[in-house]
Amino acid sequence: MKFSIKHFLVFVFFLFPVAAYSQGSGSSEPRKEKKENNFAVTRSVSGTVASASESSVVIKRSSGKTITLRIRNSTKVGSGCLQTDQRVRATYTPKNRNATAISCN
C-alpha cells in the first residue's frame, strides 16, 4: 500500500485533530469535590497561661513572647489548665491558630 501526499494531508487535517480531541473527553459525570485533608500540620508550644476566656487562651513562652490560640468545641482541654500562671503545653494548627489540645504540665 502506497501513501501519497494527499493521504498524508487528509490524515493531518481531518483525522488527527479528531483523535487528539477525543483523548481528553473522559467521563461526562461532574467532578467530585476535593477531599478534606485529614493530616493537618500542627505545632506545639509550652509556657504559662497569661489569660484565658471561653474562646481563646494567651500563652506566654519562656522567651517572653506570647501567642494567642483559639479554643473550639473540638479542643481537648485538661481540667484546671486554663487558670492564670498555670504551666501548659498546647498543640495548634499554625494556619489558623486553632488549639487542638491543651494539657497541664
Side-chain angles (χ1 to χ4, degrees):
M1 183 173 196
K2 192 174 181 183
F3 289 101
S4 66
I5 293 181
K6 189 190 315 184
H7 290 114
F8 177 76
L9 292 175
V10 166
F11 175 76
V12 169
F13 290 114
F14 296 108
L15 299 178
F16 183 73
V18 170
Y21 178 75
S22 65
Q23 289 290 327
S25 63
S27 175
S28 62
E29 295 201 15
R31 281 187 178 176
K32 294 181 180 177
E33 290 193 27
K34 217 174 193 182
K35 290 184 180 179
E36 185 177 324
N37 187 0
N38 292 330
F39 300 100
V41 175
T42 60
R43 295 215 173 132
S44 296
V45 62
S46 294
T48 57
V49 175
S51 65
S53 68
E54 290 180 10
S55 61
S56 67
V57 61
V58 179
I59 299 174
K60 185 175 182 181
R61 296 184 252 183
S62 59
S63 64
K65 295 181 180 179
T66 60
I67 183 169
T68 303
L69 302 176
R70 287 190 250 173
I71 298 175
R72 301 288 196 190
N73 292 336
S74 60
T75 303
K76 297 175 185 172
V77 180
S79 62
C81 288
L82 296 181
Q83 296 174 0
T84 305
D85 295 329
Q86 175 68 41
R87 186 118 176 97
V88 295
R89 179 181 173 100
T91 305
Y92 67 98
T93 54
K95 181 179 178 181
N96 51 18
R97 301 250 173 148
N98 286 339
T100 56
I102 300 173
S103 60
C104 301
N105 283 352

